[in-house]
Amino acid sequence: MSYKIVFFDVDGTLTHHENGTISAKTREIIKCLKHKGLKIVAATGRPLSLCEEVKELGIDTLITANGAFTVHNEKVIHKLSMDKHVAREVFEYAATENHGLSFYTKELSMNGIKDDNILKALKETLSLSDYPQINERIYDEDIYLMCLYADDKTAEQYAQQFPHLMFKRWHPFIVSVLQKEITKSGAILKVLNYFNIHQSEAIAFGDGENDIDMLELAGLGIAMGNGSDKLKSAADFVTKKSSEDGIEFALKKFSIL
């Protein structure tokens, strides 16, 4: 099969799943793939503002906010933002209940609620060691993704309070708050259409359960060895861990490198 495009999750896939670094080997692989004429796309849960290191790899197409905001060379090719009135309702309720919320615009901000579990989740998902900035009128902006920091009991409380919204867990302490279904695969379809490439000509790498739909959509879906069992069962191939040069191992296995 001749592949034309590769979609990479970022955290735990392009980055070392334990320390968050991008290895020299991974940087060289990206250059090599581009030299061979393949298009490279990052598909991440991060907001655009936390993708500078990804851009430095030479990746100019970025699916961010888990599929809600996609750009190619700074041109927006897909976006889904929340209704501002709905965002304000959730913002005000969380303030009353003293629950943490993060907001993905092009930047990342929070509502100022601090908790050790929140900081731990920020470290595990975005490699952040401190809380993002506070924006007290964030609901006036275009919010592409809102995340609630909560256990199952609290998430259920919100589901009852806001029955018109979807609450989708993607981390033990983080739940996406959605008006519409937002997925990486939905954004990938927009990217494929933009470049006039068929999904059978796509490869996707991921390590999280929010990557399952992406791996299922691509012609070749590859799970990192550090991924969950659920993700691995949905993949066409399970490679080594990101800390063990799993990307290189898989690309050589399928004679792409």
Side-chain angles (χ1 to χ4, degrees):
M1 180 68 198
S2 177
Y3 296 104
K4 296 180 179 179
I5 191 166
V6 188
F7 295 88
F8 289 106
D9 167 60
V10 176
D11 295 288
T13 301
L14 283 177
T15 70
H16 189 295
H17 66 95
E18 293 173 333
N19 62 32
T21 61
I22 299 177
S23 70
K25 176 67 66 69
T26 297
R27 296 174 190 276
E28 191 58 38
I29 286 169
I30 298 300
K31 287 181 183 177
C32 183
L33 291 173
K34 291 186 69 176
H35 182 72
K36 286 177 171 285
L38 280 84
K39 294 192 179 299
I40 309 299
V41 182
T44 179
R46 295 185 185 192
L48 187 62
S49 63
L50 294 183
C51 290
E52 288 307 311
E53 189 178 21
V54 178
K55 291 180 183 178
E56 289 170 6
L57 296 175
I59 298 176
D60 53 21
T61 307
L62 297 114
I63 294 170
T64 69
N66 212 46
F69 189 67
T70 303
V71 295
H72 172 62
N73 284 327
E74 306 304 325
K75 177 183 178 182
V76 177
I77 59 177
H78 175 61
K79 68 176 182 177
L80 289 169
S81 57
M82 292 190 74
D83 181 277
K84 289 179 171 59
H85 296 294
V86 172
R88 183 167 184 167
E89 286 179 359
V90 180
F91 178 94
E92 292 178 345
Y93 184 75
T96 301
E97 297 294 314
N98 204 42
H99 294 142
L101 284 175
S102 61
F103 311 94
Y104 293 61
T105 57
K106 288 184 179 180
E107 308 290 327
L108 176 68
S109 60
M110 286 196 72
N111 64 344
I113 305 300
K114 296 183 178 181
D115 176 272
D116 287 345
N117 287 323
I118 294 175
L119 197 57
K120 181 174 182 285
L122 288 168
K123 176 69 174 177
E124 291 175 352
T125 58
L126 296 172
S127 299
L128 294 178
S129 56
D130 202 358
Y131 297 93
Q133 63 185 340
I134 299 170
N135 186 335
E136 294 179 353
R137 292 190 64 85
I138 188 66
Y139 44 77
D140 289 334
E141 299 185 22
D142 286 335
I143 298 172
Y144 303 114
L145 181 64
M146 185 185 295
C147 288
L148 171 67
Y149 293 77
D151 57 21
D152 288 341
K153 182 180 178 181
T154 301
E156 180 57 31
Q157 174 185 335
Y158 277 74
Q160 292 181 10
Q161 181 70 23
F162 301 100
H164 53 296
L165 297 178
M166 292 180 284
F167 295 86
K168 192 172 181 181
R169 183 169 298 284
W170 58 276
H171 176 274
F173 200 66
I174 308 177
V175 178
S176 292
V177 183
L178 307 169
Q179 268 187 291
K180 301 176 182 177
E181 187 70 19
I182 293 174
T183 61
K184 290 184 180 182
S185 61
I188 284 173
L189 286 171
K190 297 290 185 181
V191 171
L192 292 173
N193 182 63
Y194 184 81
F195 290 122
N196 194 28
I197 296 174
H198 192 269
Q199 66 190 68
S200 65
E201 299 171 304
I203 303 170
F205 283 84
D207 79 308
E209 293 191 10
N210 60 329
D211 297 321
I212 290 175
D213 61 299
M214 176 171 79
L215 267 59
E216 290 178 336
L217 177 71
L220 177 60
I222 299 172
M224 305 304 292
N226 46 281
S228 70
D229 290 339
K230 190 173 180 181
L231 175 79
K232 290 174 182 177
S233 67
D236 297 305
F237 179 70
V238 178
T239 188
K240 295 181 179 180
K241 296 178 181 180
S242 59
S243 58
E244 300 170 342
D245 296 320
I247 290 174
E248 179 188 44
F249 182 79
L251 291 173
K252 286 186 174 179
K253 164 77 174 177
F254 290 95
S255 302
I256 295 152
L257 282 181

